[in-house]
Amino acid sequence: MSSRTVIRGGLVVTASDETHADVLIEDGRIAALAASATPAADAFTADRTIDATGKYVIPGGVDVHTHMELPFGGTFASDTFETGTRAAAWGGTTTIVDFAVQSVGHSLREGLDAWHAKAEGNCAIDYGFHMIVSDVNQETLKEMDLLVEEGVTSFKQFMAYPGVFYSDDGQILRAMQRSAENGGLIMMHAENGIAIDVLVEQALARGETDPRYHGEVRKALLEAEATHRAIRLAQVAGAPLYVVHVSAAEAVAELARARDEGLNVFGETCPQYLFLSTDNLAEPDFEGAKYVCSTPLRPREHQARLWRGLRTNDLQVVSTDHCPFCFTGQKELGRGDFSKIPNGLPGVENRMDLLHQAVLDGHISRRRWIEIACATPARMFGLYPKKGTIAPGADADVVIYDPHAEQVMSAETHHMNVDYSAYEGRRVTGRVETVLSRGEPVITEREYTGRAGHGAYTPRSTCQYLT
Ligand SMILES: NC(=O)NCCC(=O)O
Ligand SMILES: [Zn+2]
Ligand SMILES: [Zn+2]
């Protein structure tokens, strides 16, 4: 039986437009938009009406960098696909793209199957997968072609974490050459991990064991150097490149230079680099461990360059790199040795709100908010226009957003399965009120009305952002 919902009276904000319009949803998709209070809109009939007067009607967020249940440093990221996707919905995100992991000595297929098994039947919102390639060999390269065909069209490689996820330059070049042929997009963790490991060893030998040394050894110059090297390897391979979790001003400069040269090089940053800094890493009593992630938080001065990059489109996407570890029992593994603190921050629930606050603070425009958090990530990873916009034919992944509601971020009230908030006590204006995923209410006026298993695996086409 056909079901129809109409959202009336809101300001519909997409990456390209802001219009007071009513939105008609039919069978899980956007059926039509019409200017509010006009005969065309009044003609919309529906089983359910949502009053969005005074609110924004925005596309559901697309977070293309999450790590639910990631094994790391002898433990696992604390959000499962069930808890993590529920929290994402609370924060106005309706699609995640998570990272399936190939372990060294195993195939891509084994890794992908394992991640499908973790996610299937458990997600509240739609999801797709990138593939972490940890072991580039002839078989892996062939498998990359098959994965692209079946909708896993992006591959993460690491210039960091020697002995775990690390690929050397030859392996990176080979994977890039393959992606130049098969249409895949290489996502790069750009830090010189070999040099960093030397600095880690030297710091520990000097007795520098506190969390703040994590930030000191993972130098901005070593992020910039790796970013430069990745760009030039991609150029030699004739492949596009997407650099993940960019945090250093010097790395943004490398991306900007390459883009000025006309290369298909893209960059993502994350809220933690825009809103947090080495001040957090230096918090006493081991509290700084809460902020250990890689690339690391940087001194506050880097933030202005990141915001500028977002405005000038030298950075195109803000995703979360959501990779939560509880302070108790997980981050504590690194007491007395910062290199044993599991790397990662929680944030899947906070991204849309923090970026809305950035609109209010004058860093970005309202449409740019939607562009970097919804539309471009969808385009970059082959999900557009099904995801990332509000237009006829798109999935009805829609958020009713109250731009005036005040909230204080806190672990007391968040829904992520982690015992601290990286933004504890931060006041922001703006809050998600209602969330639809393919027309189904997941959050209804700040009550969870979704269900594990509603979220569907979403195969992706290749990158739609190439020039
Ligand atoms: N970023 C981080 O610290 N943890 C997750 C793994 C990664 O993205 O490198
Ligand atoms: Zn990474
Ligand atoms: Zn990550």
Side-chain angles (χ1 to χ4, degrees), residues 300-463:
R300 209 163 270 286
E301 301 79 74
H302 290 256
Q303 292 173 358
R305 185 69 187 91
L306 297 174
W307 285 119
R308 176 150 70 91
L310 286 170
R311 285 192 295 274
T312 57
N313 207 38
D314 288 316
L315 297 171
Q316 295 76 25
V317 172
V318 175
S319 55
T320 59
D321 195 5
H322 175 76
C323 190
F325 297 99
C326 289
F327 183 72
T328 304
Q330 293 195 296
K331 291 287 188 182
E332 281 178 334
L333 293 168
R335 263 192 205 277
D337 179 349
F338 69 83
S339 72
K340 295 202 165 57
I341 300 168
N343 285 202
L345 257 62
V348 76
E349 188 172 348
N350 306 128
R351 182 183 65 133
M352 296 299 285
D353 290 331
L354 287 166
L355 290 177
H356 179 258
Q357 185 60 43
V359 173
L360 299 179
D361 293 346
H363 290 298
I364 50 172
S365 71
R366 203 157 43 188
R367 276 175 284 146
R368 187 66 176 156
W369 168 42
I370 301 306
E371 190 164 27
I372 63 183
C374 311
T376 298
R379 276 209 175 93
M380 191 71 73
F381 293 99
L383 289 163
Y384 197 85
K386 184 177 162 69
K387 307 293 187 191
T389 194
I390 297 179
D395 282 357
D397 292 358
V398 181
V399 175
I400 314 300
Y401 196 81
D402 183 344
H404 305 295
E406 308 263 334
Q407 58 165 311
V408 180
M409 292 179 167
S410 173
E412 298 284 306
T413 48
H414 75 200
H415 304 86
M416 298 175 285
N417 184 39
V418 61
D419 61 0
Y420 74 96
S421 168
Y423 306 98
E424 188 66 40
R426 185 177 292 260
R427 285 176 184 279
V428 293
T429 302
R431 200 175 64 176
V432 167
E433 191 176 278
T434 290
V435 177
L436 305 180
S437 165
R438 284 178 281 109
E440 292 297 316
V442 183
I443 306 290
T444 307
E445 296 180 15
R446 304 231 24 99
E447 253 187 55
Y448 182 69
T449 49
R451 69 179 169 84
H454 163 80
Y457 172 65
T458 310
R460 298 176 291 113
S461 72
T462 53
C463 179

